Amino acid sequence: MEHVPPPAEELALLDRELAQLDARRAQLLTRRAWLVSALQPQPQTPNGPRWSTPPVGHGWAPGQAWGSVERSAKPSAPRSAQNVLLTLGGLLLTVAAVAFTLVSWGSMGIGGRSAVLALVTVAALAAPAVLLRRKLAATAEALAALALVLTLLDVYAVQAVAAPDADGLTFTAVASAVLAALWAAYGLALGKLHLPLPAAVFFVQWPLLLGAWAAGAPAIVVGWALLVTAVIDGAIVLWGKRLGARVTAGLGLAVMGSAALLTGLGESLTADGPLGAVLPGALLLTAAVAALAGAWRAPNGYAQIGGAVAGLAAVAAVGGVLRAAVPGSWHVPAYLLCGLALLFVVRAGLPRSAGRGVLMAAGAVVAGALVWALPPVAAVLLGPVQVVAEVWAGAPDGFQAALGESMGWSELVTAPVVLAVVTGLLGAAYRWWPSLVRTAAPLVTPGAKVRGAAGAGALALGWGTLLLAAAVLGVPYPVAVALETALVAGLLVVAVRGAGGSPAGPTGAVGGGRSAVAVTALVGAVGGAVSVGLLALASEAATYAVFGALVVLFAGAAVRTRAVVEQAVLAVTAVVWGTALTGCVAGSLGLAPHEAAPLLLVVPAVTVLLGARLRLHPVALPVELAGALGALVAVGLAVPEAPFLALVLALCGVLAAGAAVRPERRPVAGYLAAVLFVAATWVRLAASEVSAPEAYTLPVTVPALVVGVLRRRRDPEASSWTAYGPGLAATLLPSLAVAWTDPDWLRPLLLGVAALVITLLGAKYRLQALLLLGGSVLAVVALHELAPYVVQVAGALPRWLPPALAGLLLLAVGATYEQRLRDARKLRDVVGRMR
């Protein structure tokens, strides 16, 4: 049924609807009146047409200029789309022009060809001017690119028609000059175009180079052509107004300048004499002057590059003349002298950045000289390695014979001179540092680290200079050994003075310079000791003299210095050389390696005593570890002979027990002593071919367990491993080793019963050592007894069954992984709480 409201309610509803219609009609009438007024002409304002605010309710945001959308410019495509369209259009026109020139050229007469190309080129050149006036810059750029291609086609056409017999290189050089002038004028006339001026700079690169090449000029003339072109590029970079032209000129400057310098350098290095090196030197000097002039006006970064190039070119120019006037071995010193002369040029009032560049050039020359001179020093240090193949074969005839004659020492006669010059330079900088800082203040502000590097470099190079000089001079073998030992002593003195007693830091360095010098001296002393030690192996007397001296020197230096790190390094080095000295004593006694093993334990014994003397001193641990390394070497030498191995293990156990007397070493040394004693027992029993080790181990196990019980009564918190572990392991483990290969059943049975009893006692009294040792032995014995049956059953089963069972086991473990993990953690906690 349709619901009909009462008359009063229906009348009210109609009145509301009529009111809404009246309001909507008034709104639409107001809107219509405003639109009529908006369509009438409005006065122009500086910011464009602005109308009054439209009526409320129109849908626009309040405050927005009404009519701005209607009167705005027509929407245009994005600039990226415009560039794509212009690029494609210019490319198509270019392809059409090339196709016309190369394909359709022959179908027209000479007049038609010339007229068409001239007309199209002139139109392409004139169109950008018109387009720029209409503010169509992108289109103008596209047509300018087309005009550039057309001018190249014009050149091709002129060469093909007007001068077909002309030399290609000559014609190209002339054409490049003409095109450079044309496009430079065109770019200056139409300053808003970006392409013409870079194109003109590109064409500038070729006229001189191609002209010299076409004329068949020598390489030096080609170098001059490259240099002049680079100078022109540099002028454009410095004084050019457009970024594109300057970037293009910068690339040309880098390429042409590098080519000119390489050409001059090549001619200088291949000159037959001083006169032949003058012309390349003039080219290089001119390049240096031009680079320095450019650096005078360039920004900071480019000024440094210019100064560096100027300095290197000047060194190559003057050094090339000197190189041609001196023998071959003096070539590098000649260049080094010129590089050092740049240090005086730096003080000639150069700008800060340019002066830094010249200083960098001097540093590069010095570094290059060092690269040439340092490999022989490395050969002197590493050359004695060949002596190891013939230890104590007799003293060689001289230092060079010990190092090897294949080095060509006569050609390295000037290497010590180079090292000496650089050493003197760095040493002077380190010695007169305040004056150097004041002198260099306009250019650089070196800090303390730079002084430290200078001092360290002077020390290292001075050491290398003396070694290399001795090798080059061919001093006798005893003199060489004495010299290297004396140098090691001198380096140790410097290291001790540089690191001794200062509270400035953990290394004992007073300042950055002394710290660097001390570290360099320490490293040089260790390296020099290795070198002289290898060199001394040629003679038995020299070996004892050098090794003994090294032990005394490093031990004395360790005592004198108070810096912890340096003291530890020196002490460890002394221990190493002491171990090597004891090995030499064994060799002199004619002992076999396994017989010499006990003798090598002398030094570890000394380190244990020294560690007890030093106690908590930070150097004690490194010294004892170095002694332990010697003990490890002794064990390795004794491995081939079981009786000697047992003796050495027992002696090492004694040393470890001696170290365990000290509380701070007991946690580690105590267990180590027990392991060594047990291992010595096993080895001794195996060496004696004992088939019943229990007869020897039980007399040790019983009193050891009694001692353990007494220890536990006195100290209930003592670990079960300390109290019972050594005694149980002394019998269980050797018996287990014999039982594993025993075919009889009695020993495995007795061992298994004993292990079961020990395991139960460990579980009852919560003793970790008993539980783990007894359980492990019991498991191994059970595996030994069940192994034959397992093998028999495995052979009878189908081959697919073991993998299937393994897969089921893995699935079961994986399904209950979390529970197993919790159980394992509980077991670990329970065992860990045991004593």
Side-chain angles (χ1 to χ4, degrees):
M1 296 178 63
E2 183 178 357
H3 172 70
V4 178
E9 183 178 351
E10 184 178 0
L11 179 62
L13 180 62
L14 292 176
D15 290 337
R16 285 196 298 270
E17 291 181 356
L18 290 173
Q20 292 176 357
L21 290 175
D22 291 337
R24 179 61 177 166
R25 184 174 185 276
Q27 181 181 3
L28 294 176
L29 289 175
T30 305
R31 172 70 175 168
R32 180 181 181 280
W34 185 88
L35 290 174
V36 171
S37 62
L39 291 176
Q40 296 177 358
Q42 298 288 337
Q44 297 293 328
T45 62
N47 295 328
R50 302 282 292 183
W51 296 295
S52 60
T53 305
V56 180
H58 55 79
W60 276 262
Q64 180 181 357
W66 186 257
S68 58
V69 176
E70 291 83 353
R71 295 300 180 97
S72 61
K74 295 182 179 180
S76 60
R79 294 190 63 83
S80 58
Q82 179 186 18
N83 294 334
V84 171
L85 294 175
L86 292 175
T87 302
L88 289 177
L91 182 62
L92 292 176
L93 289 175
T94 302
V95 172
V98 173
F100 168 76
T101 305
L102 299 179
V103 178
S104 302
W105 187 256
S107 61
M108 301 179 64
I110 184 63
R113 304 173 199 171
S114 303
V116 170
L117 269 180
L119 180 62
V120 174
T121 304
V122 171
L125 290 173
V130 178
L131 293 173
L132 287 176
R133 284 196 297 270
R134 295 179 177 271
K135 298 183 180 180
L136 299 175
T139 308
E141 290 286 351
L143 288 180
L146 176 62
L148 176 62
V149 176
L150 289 175
T151 54
L152 294 176
L153 294 177
D154 288 336
V155 170
Y156 167 74
V158 170
Q159 197 272 338
V161 176
D165 298 330
D167 179 67
L169 290 175
T170 304
F171 184 82
T172 305
V174 175
S176 299
V178 173
L179 288 175
L182 172 65
W183 282 99
Y186 188 72
L188 293 175
L190 301 178
K192 294 183 179 181
L193 292 178
H194 298 286
L195 180 63
L197 290 180
V201 174
F202 174 77
F203 288 127
V204 165
Q205 312 303 313
W206 307 109
L208 295 177
L209 176 61
L210 295 180
W213 194 359
I220 191 65
V221 177
V222 175
W224 280 104
L226 292 169
L227 179 59
V228 172
T229 304
V231 170
I232 295 174
D233 289 330
I236 296 174
V237 170
L238 291 176
W239 290 291
K241 301 300 183 182
R242 304 299 297 270
L243 179 61
R246 296 174 64 186
V247 171
T248 307
L251 295 176
L253 172 62
V255 174
M256 295 298 178
S258 300
L261 292 174
L262 291 176
T263 302
L265 180 61
E267 291 294 308
S268 177
L269 293 176
T270 57
D272 295 333
L275 294 179
V278 170
L279 290 180
L283 173 63
L284 292 171
L285 277 179
T286 305
V289 172
L292 193 59
W296 212 287
R297 296 178 55 88
N300 291 336
Y302 297 103
Q304 289 188 18
I305 297 176
V309 170
L312 293 175
V315 169
V318 181
V321 177
L322 295 178
R323 182 203 65 84
V326 298
S329 59
W330 290 90
H331 289 173
V332 174
Y335 284 106
L336 177 61
L337 181 63
C338 297
L340 295 179
L342 292 178
L343 299 177
F344 299 96
V345 177
V346 171
R347 304 179 60 183
L350 296 176
R352 182 182 180 90
S353 298
R356 285 182 177 179
V358 175
L359 194 62
M360 291 168 55
V365 174
V366 173
L370 289 179
V371 168
W372 174 80
L374 286 178
V377 177
V380 173
L381 291 174
L382 301 177
V385 174
Q386 63 181 353
V387 180
V388 178
E390 299 179 356
V391 176
W392 293 353
D397 296 335
F399 197 13
Q400 293 182 359
L403 300 175
E405 299 288 349
S406 60
M407 279 296 296
W409 299 105
S410 60
E411 300 176 0
L412 300 174
V413 65
T414 57
V417 177
V418 172
L419 294 176
V421 171
V422 180
T423 300
L425 181 67
L426 294 177
Y430 180 76
R431 175 62 180 82
W432 291 287
W433 184 252
S435 300
L436 177 64
V437 171
R438 289 193 298 269
T439 303
L443 299 178
V444 293
T445 54
K449 291 184 178 180
V450 179
R451 186 192 184 191
L459 180 64
L461 293 179
W463 171 49
T465 300
L466 295 176
L467 290 178
L468 186 57
V472 170
L473 295 175
V475 299
Y477 174 76
V479 176
V481 173
L483 175 63
E484 287 205 45
T485 307
L487 289 177
V488 172
L491 291 173
L492 288 176
V493 170
V494 176
V496 169
R497 288 184 176 179
S502 174
T507 60
V510 175
R514 293 190 64 185
S515 175
V517 172
V519 171
T520 304
L522 182 61
V523 174
V526 174
V530 174
S531 179
V532 71
L534 294 175
L535 183 64
L537 291 176
S539 171
E540 184 175 1
T543 300
Y544 281 107
V546 171
F547 283 21
L550 292 177
V551 172
V552 173
L553 288 174
F554 280 95
V559 172
R560 292 296 302 272
T561 188
R562 292 193 293 181
V564 175
V565 176
E566 286 82 351
Q567 193 175 37
V569 172
L570 294 169
V572 168
T573 308
V575 172
V576 171
W577 285 114
T579 304
L581 185 60
T582 56
C584 294
V585 172
S588 297
L589 296 176
L591 301 178
H594 63 275
E595 295 173 340
L599 184 60
L600 290 180
L601 296 178
V602 173
V603 174
V606 174
T607 59
V608 171
L609 296 175
L610 185 60
R613 179 73 174 82
L614 296 174
R615 296 189 65 80
L616 298 179
H617 195 281
V619 180
L621 181 59
V623 169
E624 293 180 80
L625 291 178
L629 181 61
L632 184 61
V633 173
V635 172
L637 292 176
V639 166
E641 294 292 332
F644 280 92
L645 178 60
L647 175 61
V648 171
L649 290 174
L651 293 175
C652 291
V654 172
L655 296 178
V661 174
R662 297 155 54 196
E664 69 274 8
R665 298 286 184 264
R666 189 171 300 156
V668 176
Y671 290 111
L672 181 60
V675 171
L676 289 172
F677 282 132
V678 173
T681 303
W682 298 345
V683 173
R684 182 66 261 180
L685 293 175
S688 301
E689 299 181 356
V690 174
S691 59
E694 294 81 5
Y696 300 91
T697 58
L698 284 176
V700 176
T701 296
V702 173
L705 293 178
V706 172
V707 173
V709 171
L710 296 176
R711 168 74 184 278
R712 290 274 297 174
R713 285 182 179 179
R714 188 180 61 185
D715 184 12
E717 298 298 325
S719 173
S720 61
W721 287 101
T722 304
Y724 306 120
L728 292 175
T731 295
L732 289 178
L733 298 181
S735 298
L736 180 62
V738 176
W740 187 260
T741 59
D742 190 355
D744 199 2
W745 58 273
L746 181 59
R747 177 178 278 109
L749 176 61
L750 295 176
L751 182 60
V753 172
L756 177 60
V757 172
I758 293 172
T759 303
L760 294 177
L761 290 175
K764 179 180 179 180
Y765 294 103
R766 303 180 62 80
L767 298 176
Q768 190 180 100
L770 276 66
L771 181 63
L772 295 182
L773 277 175
S776 301
V777 172
L778 181 61
V780 174
V781 171
L783 178 62
H784 173 265
E785 294 302 312
L786 294 177
Y789 302 101
V790 173
V791 173
Q792 183 179 1
V793 172
L797 291 176
R799 294 188 176 181
W800 57 267
L801 188 57
L805 294 176
L808 291 175
L809 178 62
L810 291 177
L811 289 177
V813 172
T816 60
Y817 174 76
E818 293 295 334
Q819 182 61 38
R820 300 287 79 77
L821 186 61
R822 287 192 293 269
D823 295 341
R825 289 173 178 170
K826 290 179 181 178
L827 179 61
R828 182 194 63 184
D829 295 338
V830 170
V831 175
R833 287 193 294 269
M834 293 182 178
R835 299 304 301 171

